[in-house]
Amino acid sequence: MFISLEGSEGAGKSTLIDSLKKFFKKNKIEFLFTREPGATKEGQILREILLDKSIEIDPYTETFLLVADRLQHANKIIIPALAKDINVLSDRYIDSTYAYQGAGRGISQKYLDQIMEPLNLPMPELTIYLDLPVEDGLKRAKYRDELDRFEEEDIKFFERIRSFYLDQAKKNPNRFLIIDSSKDKEEVFEISKNLILKKLNEK
Ligand code: TMP
């Protein structure tokens, strides 16, 4: 099974991933945890460029770099794992591009469809979105680390991204599920774990 995890800045993706890793290991459920951008060697180089705030990047260049990272990621990591029946959980995937480059930067959905559709990228069967009010997430992100090129954007950029994700959940209720990440991290883990186990059992 292929799952993607999406979330706004500071929404707690890393904490949730740590708990899920421990849980699956303990229960001997095989899961490959991966992420975008930067899962492959070439992707790590692309990630460095993408997050470096001293580099100015055109929104289309940004999109091409992210899609290049995704194609390498899909071909080298995701598709081979799924072919061996290994479950995959990717920290960010295709919805991030529609959210950040589409809703955030203003690139049309049609254009993003045109560049990604020919690539035959595998689609997740389940996407979990950790939702948090934008200001709360940015406060957490600022407290945690130095801000990267994306995190330096203004609040309206992140509001557009959040609205996009919330809208996606309405449009794709079978695949796309929202978890309120202002809840306690234990509760966020319990809800996510149960959603994943339910999907695994359905297969
Ligand atoms: P991360 O902080 O979750 O590791 O992600 C790095 C940044 O990359 C995050 O701010 C969102 C951004 N991003 C996009 O803008 N588009 C994409 O398609 C992906 C995968 C990430």
Side-chain angles (χ1 to χ4, degrees):
M1 186 169 70
F2 181 25
I3 300 172
S4 61
L5 179 63
E6 300 282 341
S8 35
E9 326 302 305
K13 282 189 295 117
S14 307
T15 309
L16 174 61
I17 286 172
D18 284 347
S19 306
L20 289 173
K21 272 185 188 163
K22 281 186 201 136
F23 173 81
F24 290 131
K25 195 170 172 206
K26 195 169 155 206
N27 290 278
K28 300 194 168 47
I29 302 173
E30 194 174 9
F31 249 97
L32 177 77
F33 285 84
T34 183
R35 71 160 178 182
E36 287 192 2
T40 59
K41 194 173 177 195
E42 54 281 21
Q44 277 170 27
I45 300 168
L46 296 173
R47 182 181 175 93
E48 265 180 45
I49 300 171
L50 282 159
L51 299 191
D52 187 339
K53 57 185 171 199
S54 71
I55 306 176
E56 250 184 62
I57 308 179
D58 179 273
Y60 284 90
T61 308
E62 182 178 281
T63 304
F64 297 136
L65 294 179
L66 285 155
V67 174
D69 169 75
R70 179 159 308 127
L71 187 56
Q72 293 300 102
H73 184 207
N75 287 342
K76 287 189 169 175
I77 297 176
I78 300 173
I79 295 171
L82 295 175
K84 286 188 218 148
D85 251 342
I86 298 171
N87 298 306
V88 176
L89 189 148
S90 183
D91 174 0
R92 297 197 182 279
Y93 191 61
I94 214 159
D95 296 290
S96 278
T97 306
Y98 286 96
Y100 283 75
Q101 284 62 51
R105 303 281 193 223
I107 295 184
S108 77
Q109 167 153 4
K110 197 169 155 215
Y111 185 77
L112 295 175
D113 287 344
Q114 276 170 356
I115 56 171
M116 282 194 277
E117 269 171 13
L119 308 179
N120 290 319
L121 295 163
M123 272 311 279
E125 287 136 88
L126 172 65
T127 298
I128 294 175
Y129 172 63
L130 297 187
D131 180 48
L132 196 65
V134 172
E135 280 196 43
D136 299 354
L138 288 178
K139 258 187 230 152
R140 283 200 207 169
K142 267 186 204 156
Y143 175 75
R144 187 185 57 199
D145 239 331
E146 206 190 312
L147 298 183
D148 64 34
R149 206 176 55 81
F150 290 99
E151 289 163 345
E152 287 223 313
E153 288 296 330
D154 64 17
I155 199 150
K156 287 197 183 119
F157 174 78
F158 293 106
E159 295 285 8
R160 289 195 294 279
I161 290 169
R162 183 178 185 216
S163 305
F164 169 83
Y165 279 124
L166 296 177
D167 205 42
Q168 275 298 92
K170 280 191 207 135
K171 287 184 183 151
N172 307 287
N174 291 328
R175 171 176 76 90
F176 203 100
L177 301 170
I178 299 174
I179 296 179
D180 172 3
S181 75
S182 62
K183 287 186 176 38
D184 182 78
K185 61 181 191 243
E186 277 304 316
E187 204 177 333
V188 172
F189 163 66
E190 279 299 317
I191 300 169
S192 311
K193 177 199 80 181
N194 291 336
L195 279 175
I196 295 172
L197 291 178
K198 186 166 170 262
K199 272 274 174 183
L200 281 174
N201 286 333
E202 279 169 16
K203 287 202 87 175

